[in-house]
């Protein structure tokens, strides 16, 4: 089941090398959708090689729009999770969507120890403990790793509570 976590247009991807974008499309992390038919509330029509935005009532300025701005891409979070799992060498049950913001990626094995690893989107200081303890209760395991897309600013008190509960919160870029 395709679950999008965000949308990008072609200009959002312009800073990336074309082979990177191609690879994201090949792996299914990016899925190209139908091009936009309007820009800034104006209808877009293709005239020759140009995309022209105009208002139906003729009140707004008619202008050319960059064609890449009309391309639309969705990010498939499950495909992204599968790629993270594969790249991290995680084992165990397959990737599973637990909620709109929490995904099981697999187990990190260190000798005989296994630590389940989750991707936690929208993790904030006000929900990190609830998320961690709900997972601990669900699994009845002693150690859990929560990966986040970006570094989470957690207070020293929260960091200590998580460490005491054997829950590691890491940004994907900082994960071993």
């Amino acid at each position: 089941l395709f679950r999008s976590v965000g949308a990008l247009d072609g200009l959002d991807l312009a800073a990336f090398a074309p082979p990177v974008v191609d690879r994201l499309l090949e792996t299914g992390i990016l899925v190209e959708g139908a091009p936009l038919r309007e820009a800034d509330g104006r209808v877009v029509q293709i005239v020759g090689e140009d995309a022209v935005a105009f208002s139906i009532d003729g009140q707004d300025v008619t202008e050319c729009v960059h064609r890449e701005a009309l391309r639309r891409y969705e990010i498939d979070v499950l495909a992204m999770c599968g790629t993270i799992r594969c790249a991290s060498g995680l084992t165990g049950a397959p990737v599973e969507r637990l909620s709109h913001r929490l995904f099981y990626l697999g187990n990190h094995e260190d000798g005989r120890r296994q630590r389940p690893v989750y991707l936690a989107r929208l993790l904030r200081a006000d929900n990190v403990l609830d998320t961690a303890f709900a997972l601990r209760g669900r699994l009845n395991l002693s150690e859990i790793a929560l990966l986040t897309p970006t570094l989470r600013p957690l207070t020293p008190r929260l960091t200590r509570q998580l460490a005491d509960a054997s829950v590691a919160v890491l940004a994907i870029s900082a994960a071993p």
Side-chain angles (χ1 to χ4, degrees):
L1 182 62
F2 177 75
R3 294 284 184 220
S4 170
V5 296
L8 305 167
D9 68 33
L11 293 177
D12 293 327
L13 300 175
F16 296 96
V20 172
V21 175
D22 291 344
R23 182 71 177 138
L24 292 172
L25 287 164
E26 288 169 14
T27 59
I29 292 173
L30 280 182
V31 178
E32 187 166 9
L36 296 173
R37 296 288 180 209
E38 64 177 56
D40 297 325
R42 295 175 293 161
V43 176
V44 174
Q45 184 174 356
I46 305 301
V47 179
E49 293 295 315
D50 298 323
V52 180
F54 62 93
S55 64
I56 294 175
D57 64 9
Q59 298 300 313
D60 291 327
V61 175
T62 299
E63 64 183 342
C64 288
V65 177
H66 197 292
R67 288 194 70 154
E68 283 300 307
L70 301 177
R71 293 181 78 180
R72 185 161 180 83
Y73 299 91
E74 301 286 331
I75 301 169
D76 184 340
V77 70
L78 289 178
M80 183 178 65
C81 287
T83 300
I84 293 169
R85 174 190 168 99
C86 192
S88 302
L90 300 176
T91 62
V95 169
E96 181 182 358
R97 179 181 189 262
L98 302 176
S99 73
H100 70 284
R101 61 181 191 86
L102 192 62
F103 302 84
Y104 169 75
L105 298 179
N107 293 326
H108 176 265
E109 294 185 26
D110 184 16
R112 292 188 326 201
R113 259 181 28 195
Q114 286 191 2
R115 176 183 282 194
V117 179
Y118 296 87
L119 175 66
R121 296 178 49 239
L122 308 172
L123 194 66
R124 300 178 311 271
D126 64 346
N127 69 11
V128 67
L129 288 177
D130 290 341
T131 300
F133 291 132
L135 286 172
R136 293 265 328 262
R138 177 181 185 263
L139 301 169
N140 199 22
L141 292 174
S142 60
E143 296 181 346
I144 296 171
L146 292 175
L147 295 181
T148 62
T150 58
L151 187 61
R152 300 283 101 190
L154 301 176
T155 65
R157 180 174 172 251
L158 278 175
T159 303
R160 190 171 42 259
Q161 287 176 301
L162 290 166
D164 289 346
S166 297
V167 175
V169 177
L170 303 163
I172 289 172
S173 61

